[in-house]
Amino acid sequence: MKVHLTTLGCPKNQVDSELMLGLLSEAGFPLVERAEDAECLIVNTCAFIDRAREESVQTILELARLKEQGRCRALIVTGCLTQRYGAEVMREMPEIDGILGTSNLPAIVELVRQAANRHDWATAAPPGYLYDARTPRLLTAKVPYAYVKIAEGCDMGCTFCAIPQFRGRHRSRALADVVSEVEALAARGVQEAILVSQDTLAYGRDLAGNGDIADLLLALGETRMPWIRPMYLHPAHVNDRLVERWARARVVPYLDMPIQHGDDAILRSMRRAVTARRMKDIVAQFRASMPGVTVRTTVLVGFPGETEAAFERLLEFVDEVRFDRLGVFTYSPEEGTPSPGFADQVGADVAAERAARVQEAQDAIAWERAAKLVGSVADVLVDGPSEDGAFDWEGRTAGQAPEIDGVVYLRGRRDFTPGRFARVRIAEVEGYELVGERA
Ligand code: SF4
């Protein structure tokens, strides 16, 4: 049975996909690149917000057509959509033959084996699965970086977030196991390990005697992995000791700290357990202890109760802190979370307009900061051939995380080798994209 897998959603989902592909390939199933060539199609879905759910449903329906017209005999849906809605997904879409949530990923092998015309689902297990370094994993993307899931789930209980409902409570992988996975990835030629989870700074808290996130980073510093990039730092967990140990760890000078908002009443209502003042101090502290650190954040606009004055405070926050990068989301009321019941819901048009305003403010700040990079020399990890036809290669500086932060377009076909580092002089800046040549 030839299998094709489509991944939607975030890097955490991508890791799950690579694990399922690793398990299937170990079990002897041939994997094919084109959906049209497959006898079994798997869609690993996202259910983070309504837009993501729509994309998931759309993809399932499109692939279902291959069951009528093509050679496909089984359509399996996995991931957050099925973990969240379970058998309801099967009732709504009879085209689906089997489903699996985010738990019990190894069950995918049995499910594929028996999937054709099965019309039931493999597992209703509550979220709880965590892979380990021995789980086979197939790195599909031809890039020199890999995501490493260090923990799963979240206990923070932000009032807008549905993730804990289907990714479960926070649980961490053992420190030695993460170290061994990162070491093995380095041995396979991976140059950058991107540490992901829902709540990275809570790493290790649930495992007695394991050590915390700083212990993990210090231990990973002893591996041969050149770049280590932790993502998603919840500001409520930051303290002086953490900043001091972080600065000593061998991580890239990059901070990804979602602030979500800059108004204290909204932050309280979101249950973020941190104030705007405190978050400003944290960024200042990291900047003082890691010179040249790139700071990225995400914000959420249109949360219930966000008055124009509260939104202005977010703009002031962004203007004062001057992030290098910022991603903006508009609020989406999620089933099973407290915030849809809050007073003063904000209209979608107002939220969209605020998102555009905050993005515009940020663009001006970011471009001004990026313009200062012209003439500087930096280490660039060459990711591979450029998507822009005008250049041969593209890569990233330590200040650019894959897929979200822009790239460095590289001039000079013979000057670079994909998957290797190079010293690059930044020659031009175009918005969030940089253009460089061998220094
Ligand atoms: S910390 Fe993140 S994953 Fe956890 S509840 Fe809040 S938004 Fe959701």
Side-chain angles (χ1 to χ4, degrees):
M1 174 97 91
K2 290 183 188 158
V3 180
H4 171 86
L5 189 149
T6 306
T7 303
L8 304 167
C10 68
K12 285 154 281 201
N13 234 23
Q14 191 172 323
V15 174
D16 287 352
S17 291
E18 289 167 358
L19 294 168
M20 286 191 281
L21 289 173
L23 289 157
L24 288 166
S25 140
E26 195 185 63
F29 291 103
L31 307 173
V32 291
E33 283 201 11
R34 287 169 9 114
E36 292 78 5
D37 299 333
E39 288 143 322
C40 176
L41 292 167
I42 305 174
V43 192
N44 192 16
T45 58
C46 176
F48 177 43
I49 47 174
D50 44 6
R51 231 185 16 237
R53 277 195 299 274
E54 276 159 30
E55 190 194 5
S56 293
V57 170
Q58 224 30 59
T59 308
I60 296 167
L61 294 176
E62 266 163 39
L63 289 173
R65 275 191 227 127
L66 293 175
K67 269 181 81 181
E68 285 159 25
Q69 304 153 359
R71 60 183 60 178
C72 172
R73 288 190 283 133
L75 175 61
I76 295 175
V77 181
T78 65
C80 291
L81 188 77
T82 40
Q83 183 70 40
R84 189 170 181 186
Y85 298 105
E88 203 183 316
V89 178
M90 297 222 46
R91 269 198 304 278
E92 300 276 316
M93 286 182 277
E95 301 88 341
I96 301 173
D97 296 289
I99 65 175
L100 184 70
T102 54
S103 53
N104 198 14
L105 290 190
I108 191 68
V109 172
E110 250 339 278
L111 190 53
V112 169
R113 212 166 259 148
Q114 318 172 8
N117 303 316
R118 181 176 159 137
H119 297 297
D120 63 358
W121 63 317
T123 173
Y129 175 77
L130 252 185
Y131 74 110
D132 65 32
R134 285 162 309 162
T135 319
R137 177 172 174 187
L138 195 82
L139 297 174
T140 43
K142 295 176 186 67
V143 286
Y145 58 85
Y147 295 99
V148 174
K149 218 197 285 188
I150 60 169
E152 180 71 279
C154 181
D155 294 341
M156 291 303 282
C158 299
T159 53
F160 56 83
C161 179
I163 288 175
Q165 288 173 46
F166 50 92
R167 286 281 179 176
R169 291 188 65 79
H170 175 80
R171 56 213 180 272
S172 308
R173 290 172 58 196
L175 188 146
D177 188 56
V178 177
V179 171
S180 119
E181 184 186 8
V182 170
E183 195 59 271
L185 288 169
R188 282 163 80 172
V190 172
Q191 309 278 359
E192 177 176 5
I194 303 165
L195 311 183
V196 295
S197 75
Q198 269 79 36
D199 189 2
T200 297
L201 294 187
Y203 172 79
R205 289 176 168 199
D206 51 318
L207 299 178
N210 178 79
D212 63 8
I213 180 70
D215 294 314
L216 176 66
L217 296 182
L218 291 167
L220 290 175
E222 303 295 317
T223 65
R224 283 167 296 166
M225 182 61 71
W227 276 2
I228 297 159
R229 186 188 301 277
M231 303 287 287
Y232 318 125
L233 314 185
H234 194 306
H237 300 306
V238 179
N239 55 38
D240 294 355
R241 184 159 179 271
L242 179 87
V243 178
E244 181 260 313
R245 293 170 81 210
W246 198 275
R248 270 195 287 129
R250 190 173 63 74
V251 290
V252 290
Y254 182 89
L255 193 72
D256 171 38
M257 193 180 81
I259 59 159
Q260 306 300 11
H261 216 276
D263 175 77
D264 282 340
I266 296 288
L267 288 166
R268 256 195 315 277
S269 174
M270 288 176 164
R271 215 187 290 145
R272 292 291 292 170
V274 69
T275 62
R277 176 76 264 151
R278 173 71 190 132
M279 291 192 290
K280 287 178 189 170
D281 290 347
I282 291 172
V283 175
Q285 239 181 322
F286 271 109
R287 280 181 168 151
S289 67
M290 297 174 87
V293 65
T294 297
V295 186
R296 172 181 183 87
T297 197
T298 42
V299 300
L300 182 62
V301 296
F303 189 76
E306 186 190 60
T307 58
E308 184 58 29
F311 175 68
E312 291 286 341
R313 272 187 284 280
L314 170 61
L315 284 181
E316 279 160 29
F317 189 114
V318 168
D319 185 53
E320 185 182 329
V321 175
R322 309 193 83 69
F323 294 102
D324 297 278
R325 307 188 215 295
L326 177 145
V328 53
F329 291 92
T330 46
Y331 169 75
S332 137
E334 288 300 312
E335 222 178 298
T337 63
S339 58
F342 290 178
D344 304 318
Q345 298 280 324
V346 176
D349 47 343
V350 174
E353 185 244 336
R354 287 179 182 165
R357 276 165 71 196
V358 78
Q359 191 63 62
E360 196 183 320
Q362 173 60 25
D363 286 350
I365 295 167
W367 295 344
E368 186 192 312
R369 290 177 77 81
K372 296 199 182 113
L373 296 175
V374 175
S376 65
V377 174
D379 285 327
V380 165
L381 176 54
V382 183
D383 279 337
S386 175
E387 287 189 356
D388 182 327
F391 301 93
D392 295 312
W393 307 107
E394 63 184 46
R396 291 169 295 107
T397 65
Q400 293 172 311
E403 297 159 41
I404 47 174
D405 282 340
V407 298
V408 187
Y409 292 114
L410 298 166
R411 283 191 192 128
R413 166 154 279 290
R414 269 181 253 125
D415 290 344
F416 300 99
T417 312
R420 296 284 172 80
F421 288 95
R423 293 291 286 166
V424 167
R425 186 177 315 281
I426 304 301
E428 283 171 45
V429 175
E430 290 171 16
Y432 288 97
E433 318 292 346
L434 308 174
V435 179
E437 48 212 12
R438 185 117 205 169

